[in-house]
Amino acid sequence: METNQCRQIDSRVSFRTCPLCEATCGLEIHVHGEGIEAIQGDKKDPFSQGYLCPKGVSLKELHTDPDRIRTPMIRRGTKWVPATWDEAFSEVKKGLRNLIDRYGADAVGVYLGNPNVHNLSNMLYMEGFLRMLRTRNLFSASSMDQMPKQLAAEIMFGHSFNVPIPDVDRTDYLLIIGANPLASNGSLMTAPNMRRRLKGIQQRGGKVVVIDPVHTPTAKLADEHYFIRPGADAWLLLAIIHTLFDEDWVSTGKLGDFINGMEEIQTLVREFQPEEVSAYCGIPAETIRLLARNLGKTPRAVVYGRMGTCTQRFGTVNSWLIDVINVLTGNLDREGGAMFPRPATGPKQSIRSKGPRFGRYHSRVRKLPEVFGELPVACMAEEMEVAGPGQIRGLITIAGNPVLSSPNGSRLLHAMENLEFMVSIDCYLNETTRHAHVLLPPLSPLEKAHYDLVFYQFSVRNIAKYSRPVFDRAPDQLDEWEILLHLAAAVSDKDWGENPVKTLDDLTVMKRIQKETKNENSPIHGRDPKDIMAELGNRRGPERLLDWMLRMGPYGEGFGANSDGLTLSLLENNPHGIDLGPLTPRLPGHLLTPSGKIELAPPVLVKDVERLCQGADSKQNGFRLVGRRDLRSNNSWMHNLPVLVKGKNRCTLWIHPDDANRLGLIEGDPVSVSSQTGRVEVIVHVTSDVMPGVVSLPHGWGHRDSYARLTIAKEHPGINVNILTDDQDLDPVSGTVVLNDVPVEITK
Ligand SMILES: Nc1nc2c(c(=O)[nH]1)N[C@H]1C(S)=C(S)[C@@H](COP(=O)(O)OP(=O)(O)OC[C@H]3O[C@@H](n4cnc5c(=O)[nH]c(N)nc54)[C@H](O)[C@@H]3O)O[C@H]1N2
Ligand SMILES: Nc1nc2c(c(=O)[nH]1)N[C@H]1C(S)=C(S)[C@@H](COP(=O)(O)OP(=O)(O)OC[C@H]3O[C@@H](n4cnc5c(=O)[nH]c(N)nc54)[C@H](O)[C@@H]3O)O[C@H]1N2
Ligand code: SF4
Ligand SMILES: [Mo]
């Protein structure tokens, strides 16, 4: 009886969005006291409708993982000493100011890892911190990932966030190139439960077609799958476009008047007959023509390309050509085609750009171009190694593990060891952060608020969902926005007073308000910024900024302009989230290029096709290595959770039976894999799921650093595939590294 009463008092259910991948699943978290009883899919979440994957469930183990760092720590030699926040920040200030005062801000490099984009605090406060630091040596995981896609969007449609998203729920023909959403749960296509959505296409009589050098789980579900030679997608895409013109399938529909470069495209593809191109990409000419015809004749069709098309030598060209096909078949901005979401956090108005933001400056050593204010990860190690003005001598890593995630990992590791000062914001003492001098821990995902600022921008439906923290944080813990504002104050040469966090937070909000009240098209034009600030009430930090963005966004309450509109309070009262409906056409208004048109044949990309032709080679020598994702991994950082690593070894080299026979290999044999940059030893898995001549390895493994505090991960170490990837091999347009199509040799 007594225990029962106790349960009633202590048990509760919390709803929140899973912050681990782009799918944004709703979770139902059963809490008993300070403990988690169960994590399930939230059936009332309008978007995910109860779906979740094993990683969502693993948040319980992540929350309670004894290795997860909860206190700031300072390293003395090889010993880590717990510190107070004051001690840690003072050490950080000393370390960073020392470098900035002696060598200037460029002496401090910054590396931002993937979880930043899943983090409300960091998405809202990073920019202010970086503006205060003003280093050119800014790097992120983007240049190992989606940069080509965002650069192509910036050039063609005027903004890096104007990435067309496949309208999977209404399309009747989905051509997936170089993506495996059944393992990754989708990327630049926020859509929980991809299995259900892909089956939905089939149930309405449509088709899913996959182009991939691996017969992936997604390919297995698809109606058709074609192997392609790694790195050869540009050939295929050019031949599809050739066929669209050749067989008269081009029909741009309502967008006809808003396209620049139609003739240039037609001229460009003239020589790329499928019959000529077939040998380069390994797909028969008749299949290429069939793909083009199906795209041309199906009223609602879309091409979607991801990781496999981005992280190769022609990443930007691929990303561009994919959307050229969507435009030429009339599927851009059309239901069931490739569409532009309208996220609740705005902006409300579409403002044209002054031109694509890239190549405005270059890296010091190799002269690689900047993209959107950052430099390619590929040059991070050399910028640390080569002496001279602008050399990186100190590093800040925030939510990143570049030692395992970035190319030529051994070189980076070595360069990092020679840094004068390093600080990391991270929840683990891992292969990267163990080199830091100061480690600053974020809250557990369950202790912080969440809103997917980034992923609703790339979502297949318009959704708004805010999650309150499930647990209160302890009084001695800081949220990451507070850490970032402390760092901002530390690197700044100004005195921000007794309470820098409050001062800088107020300033951040006030600046945004002032900008808006000066904007003639704004619903709050001419109003007193102080009144708007007062209307935002007692909220502080990310919540205040989020409330501001929601109110000013396209569905927003507009500070009185639209009383039924969105506010943060409204979202708080709808803990499962609010469905704002399917995507709706947004063009031509949302074309943000200086011309106000789609730039179909941008000179920089047209020219890059020459590079493709120069390197043309229909014969492939040796093996080509590609990447692989598994449902139970998340890049490098979740291998310390027992529920995700139990079972058989997943870090194996997949090889085709014909290749295995030729090399005298059988299942389970150890082999040595070597590349231009390094060598690893790994166990083979013989499978006809990979194409002959291609081998596949997952990334994020290689937990062999004895100084890392990763008890479980070290029991399942695997090998670091990025020992093999080359920091010199990249897509020169976007600076994105080649992680797929890496030449390797295999020996028994
Ligand atoms: N060979 C090969 N390499 C690849 C890839 C590939 O396919 N093949 N994929 C690439 C891609 S797409 C990406 S995005 C990158 C990822 O590269 P990274 O972002 O460098 O690597 P992650 O493994 O995601 O590391 C995330 C780090 O953030 C920490 N972390 C987790 N949550 C939080 C938090 O809330 N706050 C803070 N401060 N820290 C947190 C984790 O402990 C971990 O240290 O890897 C790239 N590398
Ligand atoms: N479970 C899990 N989910 C994740 C992650 C994770 O690590 N684990 N990481 C997250 C991150 S950071 C990202 S960026 C996304 C990525 O999500 P996806 O883009 O779906 O990435 P992958 O699963 O790596 O799929 C890439 C596919 O491209 C294929 N490929 C390789 N080379 C080529 C090529 O030259 N041409 C073609 N056509 N295909 C090629 C590979 O065989 C692979 O099947 O996943 C996210 N979701
Ligand atoms: S699919 Fe992604 S968002 Fe959904 S539960 Fe798994 S990790 Fe979380
Ligand atoms: Mo990524």
Side-chain angles (χ1 to χ4, degrees):
M1 179 76 184
E2 229 183 85
T3 38
N4 233 343
Q5 270 181 354
C6 208
R7 275 186 78 84
Q8 272 176 3
I9 295 164
D10 278 335
S11 291
R12 63 193 164 92
V13 181
S14 267
F15 302 99
R16 66 163 289 138
T17 308
C18 173
L20 296 173
C21 89
E22 300 181 36
T24 72
C25 299
L27 304 179
E28 184 182 299
I29 304 178
H30 294 255
V31 176
H32 182 61
E34 287 303 295
I36 303 159
E37 283 187 324
I39 299 184
Q40 301 162 354
D42 176 6
K43 293 200 180 65
K44 292 192 184 147
D45 182 295
F47 200 19
S48 61
Q49 299 175 2
Y51 175 80
L52 87 173
C53 87
K55 292 189 295 302
V57 179
S58 79
L59 279 170
K60 177 178 170 171
E61 285 186 351
L62 178 61
H63 185 70
T64 54
D65 186 352
D67 283 342
R68 189 167 59 78
I69 307 298
R70 291 159 168 84
T71 335
M73 302 217 288
I74 297 175
R75 181 165 61 85
R76 307 276 179 220
T78 56
K79 281 230 155 36
W80 284 96
V81 189
T84 65
W85 285 102
D86 281 347
E87 285 161 357
F89 287 132
S90 125
E91 193 87 0
V92 170
K93 182 167 183 154
K94 204 168 69 188
L96 294 178
R97 284 298 332 167
N98 175 28
L99 293 175
I100 297 168
D101 293 342
R102 278 191 297 157
Y103 307 110
D106 291 342
V108 179
V110 176
Y111 173 82
L112 306 178
N114 167 276
N116 282 296
V117 284
H118 300 268
N119 185 318
L120 181 62
S121 273
N122 296 16
M123 286 322 293
L124 290 172
Y125 289 86
M126 192 65 74
E127 199 187 316
F129 161 63
L130 292 174
R131 206 175 292 142
M132 210 78 109
L133 177 61
R134 284 198 318 268
T135 178
R136 277 197 171 189
N137 284 314
L138 171 65
F139 309 89
S140 87
S142 294
S143 53
M144 309 188 267
D145 187 351
Q146 83 294 353
M147 207 53 128
K149 222 165 150 94
Q150 289 198 271
L151 183 54
E154 172 104 355
I155 297 173
M156 294 176 80
F157 310 117
H159 201 280
S160 57
F161 278 108
N162 256 1
V163 175
I165 305 303
D167 186 12
V168 283
D169 293 342
R170 291 180 294 184
T171 195
D172 293 321
Y173 188 89
L174 174 62
L175 178 58
I176 300 179
I177 312 184
N180 183 12
L182 288 200
S184 69
N185 276 299
S187 180
L188 296 188
M189 172 180 61
T190 286
N193 200 351
M194 275 305 290
R195 182 180 294 277
R196 178 175 68 77
R197 290 174 203 272
L198 295 182
K199 283 191 167 162
I201 298 175
Q202 295 168 327
Q203 277 154 11
R204 42 180 195 271
K207 261 190 182 174
V208 179
V209 180
V210 170
I211 311 270
D212 198 304
V214 180
H215 193 215
T216 60
T218 309
K220 286 179 182 161
L221 183 143
D223 300 270
E224 294 166 24
H225 165 243
Y226 303 101
F227 281 138
I228 185 165
R229 269 182 60 181
D233 299 85
W235 295 104
L236 168 71
L237 295 165
L238 286 160
I240 289 179
I241 299 171
H242 170 98
T243 311
L244 291 175
F245 281 107
D246 189 41
E247 300 189 6
D248 215 10
W249 291 111
V250 173
S251 158
T252 52
K254 61 161 190 166
L255 294 177
D257 293 340
F258 301 96
I259 297 173
N260 275 339
M262 194 64 154
E263 279 168 32
E264 287 90 329
I265 284 289
Q266 188 164 7
T267 311
L268 175 74
V269 298
R270 199 158 285 151
E271 305 296 316
F272 292 87
Q273 293 98 330
E275 295 70 20
E276 297 291 318
V277 159
S278 172
Y280 297 108
C281 64
I283 299 182
E286 201 36 47
T287 306
I288 299 177
R289 288 195 178 267
L290 191 76
L291 292 170
R293 273 174 219 144
N294 283 332
L295 287 165
K297 74 175 182 215
T298 313
R300 295 167 167 212
V302 62
V303 190
Y304 162 71
R306 218 15 221 107
M307 200 64 193
T309 58
C310 287
T311 48
Q312 49 152 290
R313 281 164 214 103
F314 293 92
T316 314
V317 164
N318 290 336
S319 302
W320 159 56
L321 294 175
I322 283 169
D323 282 322
V324 168
I325 298 176
N326 287 328
V327 171
L328 294 179
T329 52
N331 284 307
L332 187 80
D333 200 41
R334 171 158 93 184
E335 282 183 16
M339 302 191 76
F340 299 99
R342 190 190 296 270
T345 47
K348 197 177 174 72
Q349 302 121 11
S350 303
I351 299 164
R352 283 201 199 162
S353 81
K354 297 193 183 84
R357 298 159 298 156
F358 77 110
R360 294 164 297 181
Y361 52 90
H362 292 79
S363 71
R364 182 180 59 110
V365 179
R366 216 189 315 167
K367 313 283 177 246
L368 295 179
E370 151 274 349
V371 183
F372 313 141
E374 62 179 87
L375 292 171
V377 156
C379 65
M380 193 155 71
E382 69 202 21
E383 292 297 332
M384 294 176 185
E385 288 166 357
V386 178
Q391 180 188 8
I392 298 177
R393 295 162 188 270
L395 182 68
I396 305 174
T397 71
I398 305 177
N401 191 4
V403 167
L404 291 193
S405 62
S406 70
N408 203 349
S410 318
R411 180 181 181 183
L412 183 67
L413 178 67
H414 189 255
M416 214 176 248
E417 279 165 352
N418 291 322
L419 290 172
E420 287 180 39
F421 184 73
M422 177 168 157
V423 50
S424 295
I425 308 181
D426 206 289
C427 45
Y428 282 107
L429 193 56
N430 60 20
E431 298 77 9
T432 296
T433 59
R434 76 101 169 151
H435 296 280
H437 297 88
V438 183
L439 180 57
L440 306 170
L443 297 171
S444 146
L446 300 182
E447 289 160 346
K448 54 191 173 197
H450 189 76
Y451 184 96
D452 273 294
L453 277 180
V454 173
F455 297 109
Y456 293 147
Q457 184 83 50
F458 302 123
S459 175
V460 305
R461 280 186 84 83
N462 292 312
I463 300 283
K465 175 166 170 176
Y466 167 76
S467 315
R468 284 201 173 98
V470 176
F471 295 107
D472 292 336
R473 56 164 144 156
D476 60 347
Q477 285 182 307
L478 293 185
D479 200 348
E480 266 175 285
W481 67 278
E482 296 163 300
I483 301 178
L484 286 174
L485 290 181
H486 274 290
L487 288 195
V491 297
S492 144
D493 46 16
K494 275 199 204 136
D495 179 7
W496 295 98
E498 280 288 285
N499 191 343
V501 169
K502 182 182 180 307
T503 311
L504 288 168
D505 185 30
D506 288 346
L507 198 68
T508 307
V509 185
M510 198 42 145
K511 274 193 179 158
R512 292 199 184 205
I513 297 176
Q514 281 167 343
K515 193 170 162 206
E516 203 56 40
T517 51
K518 282 189 202 132
N519 173 359
E520 281 181 11
N521 300 315
S522 169
I524 60 166
H525 175 242
R527 288 184 59 184
D528 186 344
K530 282 201 217 77
D531 294 344
I532 301 288
M533 190 74 151
E535 276 190 52
L536 287 169
N538 294 328
R539 297 186 198 276
R540 291 295 176 270
E543 275 86 356
R544 179 164 58 176
L545 273 173
L546 177 61
D547 190 27
W548 155 256
M549 290 170 83
L550 289 167
R551 288 184 185 203
M552 291 306 297
Y555 315 83
E557 166 271 1
F559 293 89
N562 165 24
S563 57
D564 297 332
L566 280 188
T567 60
L568 184 53
S569 304
L570 191 67
L571 292 190
E572 282 172 329
N573 293 333
N574 289 274
H576 305 285
I578 295 181
D579 182 12
L580 300 165
L583 306 188
T584 49
R586 298 198 66 188
L587 301 192
H590 200 50
L591 283 173
L592 307 181
T593 48
S595 63
K597 296 191 174 184
I598 297 168
E599 297 298 345
L600 206 61
V604 56
L605 299 177
V606 170
K607 188 157 174 15
D608 209 34
V609 174
E610 283 171 25
R611 183 170 62 94
L612 179 75
C613 299
Q614 280 156 10
D617 185 357
S618 62
K619 282 190 225 57
Q620 177 183 305
N621 303 314
F623 285 99
R624 298 291 166 152
L625 174 70
V626 299
R628 178 169 92 235
R629 281 180 160 73
D630 180 278
L631 197 55
R632 286 187 293 137
S633 282
N634 195 16
N635 298 321
S636 76
W637 71 278
M638 295 186 72
H639 295 146
N640 209 48
L641 309 180
V643 51
L644 296 182
V645 286
K646 66 180 184 210
K648 62 177 195 225
N649 175 18
R650 298 179 336 241
C651 188
T652 54
L653 183 82
W654 287 13
I655 186 165
H656 190 272
D658 295 351
D659 293 324
N661 277 341
R662 202 162 34 81
L663 296 176
L665 296 171
I666 56 163
E667 178 76 15
D669 273 353
V671 285
S672 156
V673 187
S674 56
S675 75
Q676 190 71 26
T677 57
R679 197 175 68 88
V680 298
E681 274 171 26
V682 64
I683 299 296
V684 296
H685 170 52
V686 181
T687 168
S688 48
D689 281 345
V690 283
M691 192 175 167
V694 174
V695 289
S696 142
L697 265 178
H699 73 286
W701 298 91
H703 305 291
R704 292 169 189 272
D705 189 324
S706 53
Y707 291 102
R709 194 175 291 179
L710 295 167
T711 315
I712 305 293
K714 283 194 223 171
E715 292 168 11
H716 314 262
I719 54 94
N720 177 9
V721 65
N722 285 318
I723 304 269
L724 301 172
T725 54
D726 189 348
D727 54 345
Q728 302 298 307
D729 197 2
L730 39 80
D731 164 28
V733 183
S734 67
T736 305
V737 285
V738 173
L739 301 175
N740 287 294
D741 192 23
V742 178
V744 290
E745 277 177 33
I746 294 169
T747 45
K748 201 168 169 176

